[in-house]
Amino acid sequence: MRTHIEFKQIGVIASKEFWDRIRNRWVLAVAVIFTVFALVIAYFGAAQQGTVGFRGMDVTIASLVSLVIYLVPLIALILGYDAIVGERERGSLELLLSMPITHFELLMGKFVGLAGALAFSTLAGFGLAGVLLSYQLGPTALYHYVGFMLSAILLGMAFLSIAVMVSVMASDRMRASGMAIGLWFFYVLVYDLLLLGILVLSQKRFSLSFFPVLLYLNPADIFRILNVFGFEEVRKLYGLATVLPATLASPWLLGSAMVMWIVAPLGIAVWRFK
Amino acid sequence: MAYNVIEVRGAVKHFGETHAVDGVDLTVQAGELFGLIGHNGAGKTTLFKMMLGLLPVTRGEIYIDGQPVRGEAFRQVRRGIGYLPESLALYDNLSGLEVMLFFAKLKDADPRSCLPLLEKVGLANAARRRVRGYSKGMRQRLGFAQALLGSPRLLFLDEPTNGLDPQGIREFYQILRELREQGVTAILTSHILAEIQLRVDRLALMRTGKIQALGTVHSLREELNLPLDFQLTLQPGAEEALRQALANQPAASVQFNGTMAHVRCPRERKMTMLNALAALDSVVLDLHIKEPSLEDVFLGYSDATA
């Protein structure tokens, strides 16, 4: 027997999750971290080369990309890993599900609320930094910076979706946190090294045809390519990203792949949660 | 005319090899106050969860208010159900009133009913305090208030008096009585049998996933034919006189504890026993006839099965 979706119920759960993060200052803390890091990188990123000050948007975004690839997935995984398993372990899940709400609505409400908090803190944090830097930005730079912020939000949502999936599958919070940290290690630290290792070992035999596809299997790489491919100077800095042919580097294609990274884990989570 | 609010037909729930609920048939009528008792692990909570649609049945059918416990129609039925789980977890970071408002939104209940309900359960003064600072009893009261949101027609209360003090327990049953007069049906579990024996209309005794006995407390007593307990206060040194008076009562047994004596005899021998004791009016200072309690019934069924 099918039940229709009541969006109001999704809204009630999402609103609670969002305001919980506002009340406990989670959003504020993350926004401050993003602002401070963005400003420090923008002004002091070239200190090692003996210069201090804003060096242009392309180089700043390239530095911010590295920061975001480390920070945003970690924050998203921490934010979402106990969304369901935490409720289950505390005993509140049973009471929630006794209400006129379906498993799907509860899960979507959780995701939407947490994604809202993450998006809000990302926009507020990097947005404030953008405002402070705006007097030095031209329209093109501003366009790239807005694109960077939006892609950072998508990256966060992809890892949040993975975290919610982990939260549904894990039997307890301890395992869920272990799985979340493990996934962060894999996607952020290990995956690219693994690709490079395979590339070297295979003596570039499969690189040109298969290698670009493998980059699509990691949302962090998709984010990197999205932000790096637009800048000629920065593209040269990233050896790994430049193996991608221009056809596979279309922002729409990359954006769609990122959306798939949001939808697929969430779909698995919904299926398992039911 | 009374109708069946709850209908359970051959409900089975297996967790792997464990048969948590094993072929339960049960009906609860509208306006009834129904008790579900049993040992730990007897299957009470699992049956509760199945009736609430929180656990799917392995086999069998469950209908609440005429609807199967799944699908869109059951979502509407759920709006008229209040549930107080055994392991109650509310949101520590919210105030009592905010918890109520959150659940009111989920249940489509009138948000203006939140404060009056908190007043009803004695939490008016703590309504704006965070739940983190609530005692166990206050949390339980809040959980009960939450279950009353949306004027439910059916209440599922799993160990509802957990953590309540005697005053709280009395107030809880007072509210339940008032609701029953308004036609609300309630099904509750409790380990404190003395507490529910005078309050429930009917009860079911569960054991290893099955319903072992079902009926009123009185009918279960009758079914087991448990002996009556005559509690006597004797003058010092009257033990021998009592033994002699009971010599012609082969079905009776006696135990002494100082000047107290407990004489047990079958219910049908009650008048004969009273006549025998009447002859001892000079040495019997006081007499009290104790009916078997629900605990005796519970243990009686346990012994019968063992």
Side-chain angles (χ1 to χ4, degrees):
Chain A
M1 239 180 267
R2 294 190 72 81
T3 50
H4 72 264
I5 298 168
E6 281 189 15
F7 290 98
K8 179 187 153 276
Q9 300 296 65
I10 296 175
V12 172
I13 300 291
S15 164
K16 180 184 177 296
E17 291 298 325
F18 181 80
W19 286 107
D20 275 357
R21 266 72 196 178
I22 296 280
R23 287 156 65 114
N24 67 14
R25 298 187 179 85
W26 184 94
V27 168
L28 180 68
V30 172
V32 167
I33 288 171
F34 286 156
T35 306
V36 170
F37 271 107
L39 291 176
V40 167
I41 283 173
Y43 278 95
F44 302 107
Q48 279 182 323
Q49 286 87 46
T51 55
V52 169
F54 187 65
R55 296 165 298 152
M57 188 43 73
D58 46 357
V59 182
T60 300
I61 286 184
S63 304
L64 284 175
V65 164
S66 299
L67 167 80
V68 165
I69 281 175
Y70 281 98
L71 267 187
V72 169
L74 188 64
I75 288 169
L77 287 164
I78 289 171
L79 181 64
Y81 84 91
D82 84 334
I84 297 297
V85 77
E87 296 272 7
R88 188 185 293 139
E89 212 166 283
R90 282 188 292 273
S92 45
L93 186 63
E94 197 180 286
L95 184 56
L96 275 177
L97 289 173
S98 75
M99 299 285 144
I101 186 168
T102 61
H103 286 64
F104 175 79
E105 289 159 1
L106 176 60
L107 197 73
M108 288 312 293
K110 286 268 179 190
F111 179 79
V112 170
L114 295 175
L118 187 59
F120 187 72
S121 55
T122 308
L123 274 181
F126 287 123
L128 182 61
V131 168
L132 294 173
L133 294 171
S134 61
Y135 68 96
Q136 302 185 54
L137 301 178
T140 315
L142 203 61
Y143 169 76
H144 282 299
Y145 192 74
V146 169
F148 157 76
M149 283 198 298
L150 294 178
S151 60
I153 290 170
L154 284 179
L155 176 70
M157 286 187 186
F159 275 92
L160 183 64
S161 175
I162 293 170
V164 170
M165 182 185 72
V166 163
S167 188
V168 168
M169 289 175 161
S171 55
D172 56 63
R173 291 176 75 202
M174 192 69 93
R175 281 192 178 87
S177 63
M179 285 161 75
I181 291 168
L183 285 167
W184 181 80
F185 261 95
F186 178 74
Y187 282 119
V188 175
L189 301 179
V190 177
Y191 191 83
D192 286 354
L193 289 176
L194 207 64
L195 288 196
L196 281 171
I198 293 169
L199 197 64
V200 171
L201 284 174
S202 69
Q203 297 177 322
K204 298 183 181 176
R205 270 198 301 274
F206 84 122
S207 62
L208 288 176
S209 56
F210 197 52
F211 194 79
V213 178
L214 290 178
L215 290 177
Y216 271 73
L217 296 181
N218 183 351
D221 279 334
I222 297 172
F223 170 77
R224 182 181 283 129
I225 298 162
L226 256 173
N227 284 283
V228 160
F229 225 83
F231 303 113
E232 183 64 32
E233 191 186 327
V234 177
R235 203 159 57 215
K236 289 174 189 163
L237 293 173
Y238 284 85
L240 191 62
T242 50
V243 298
L244 203 72
T247 47
L248 282 176
S250 139
W252 290 109
L253 195 61
L254 289 162
S256 304
M258 198 67 115
V259 170
M260 280 309 295
W261 267 105
I262 298 168
V263 173
L266 210 53
I268 295 170
V270 168
W271 169 65
R272 283 294 302 239
F273 193 40
K274 276 183 176 174
Chain B
M1 197 177 91
Y3 70 102
N4 293 333
V5 177
I6 299 174
E7 266 192 79
V8 181
R9 298 180 198 155
V12 171
K13 182 68 194 176
H14 293 174
F15 296 104
E17 294 296 304
T18 309
H19 295 193
V21 171
D22 201 4
V24 165
D25 291 295
L26 180 70
T27 54
V28 178
Q29 290 192 332
E32 230 182 339
L33 188 49
F34 191 89
L36 198 57
I37 60 171
H39 291 285
N40 290 332
K44 307 184 296 286
T45 299
T46 305
L47 183 59
F48 248 53
K49 288 181 183 175
M50 288 158 74
M51 290 192 283
L52 282 159
L54 296 173
L55 278 177
V57 289
T58 307
R59 272 202 312 277
E61 293 284 346
I62 299 178
Y63 295 89
I64 305 291
D65 235 356
Q67 298 295 334
V69 288
R70 57 186 183 275
E72 190 58 34
F74 188 59
R75 189 206 284 262
Q76 295 309 319
V77 172
R78 267 189 171 151
R79 292 201 158 90
I81 291 178
Y83 175 44
L84 175 60
E86 182 185 6
S87 309
L88 178 66
L90 299 161
Y91 299 103
D92 280 5
N93 59 325
L94 302 181
S95 70
L97 182 59
E98 285 166 336
V99 168
M100 290 291 284
L101 287 167
F102 170 64
F103 284 111
K105 281 181 200 162
L106 279 179
K107 277 185 96 172
D108 268 342
D110 185 353
R112 288 170 301 181
S113 67
C114 293
L115 259 180
L117 281 174
L118 287 173
E119 272 173 36
K120 193 172 196 164
V121 299
L123 284 179
N125 294 332
R128 288 182 169 80
R129 268 169 50 196
R130 288 202 178 186
V131 175
R132 184 175 290 123
Y134 279 23
S135 67
K136 172 102 175 76
M138 289 166 83
R139 283 167 190 259
Q140 199 68 8
R141 285 168 188 260
L142 178 59
F144 185 42
Q146 166 280 131
L148 298 181
L149 278 165
S151 308
R153 295 185 307 280
L154 174 60
L155 287 169
F156 286 90
L157 308 167
D158 202 355
E159 301 286 344
T161 55
N162 257 353
L164 291 183
D165 57 26
Q167 173 73 15
I169 293 172
R170 188 191 295 179
E171 287 168 6
F172 164 78
Y173 280 108
Q174 175 61 34
I175 295 171
L176 214 53
R177 225 177 355 259
E178 289 167 14
L179 290 169
R180 189 168 160 262
E181 282 163 14
Q182 295 161 23
V184 173
T185 311
I187 175 162
L188 61 107
T189 70
S190 179
H191 280 112
I192 308 166
L193 303 181
E195 186 187 297
I196 63 168
Q197 73 171 3
L198 295 174
R199 284 151 172 153
V200 295
D201 299 313
R202 281 193 313 143
L203 57 92
L205 199 159
M206 283 194 78
R207 189 181 172 85
T208 58
K210 292 183 168 70
I211 291 200
Q212 193 179 15
L214 177 68
T216 61
V217 176
H218 179 73
S219 70
L220 296 185
R221 274 188 197 133
E222 296 278 310
E223 196 174 307
L224 270 182
N225 197 21
L226 290 172
L228 294 173
D229 185 7
F230 290 74
Q231 297 175 345
L232 310 176
T233 308
L234 304 173
Q235 276 190 351
E239 291 88 347
E240 194 48 41
L242 180 61
R243 278 203 183 92
Q244 282 178 9
L246 297 177
N248 295 328
Q249 303 288 334
S253 64
V254 62
Q255 275 185 330
F256 293 100
N257 181 11
T259 57
M260 293 290 294
H262 286 268
V263 180
R264 300 188 123 212
C265 81
R267 181 176 295 272
E268 62 271 17
R269 307 283 298 173
K270 183 178 177 181
M271 296 312 293
T272 317
M273 179 58 67
L274 277 173
N275 282 333
L277 294 174
L280 296 173
D281 64 335
S282 57
V283 293
V284 175
L285 303 177
D286 195 13
L287 182 150
H288 175 67
I289 304 173
K290 188 172 160 271
E291 286 278 353
S293 66
L294 184 55
E295 194 176 329
D296 295 325
V297 172
F298 180 76
L299 294 173
Y301 275 104
S302 298
D303 292 345
T305 311

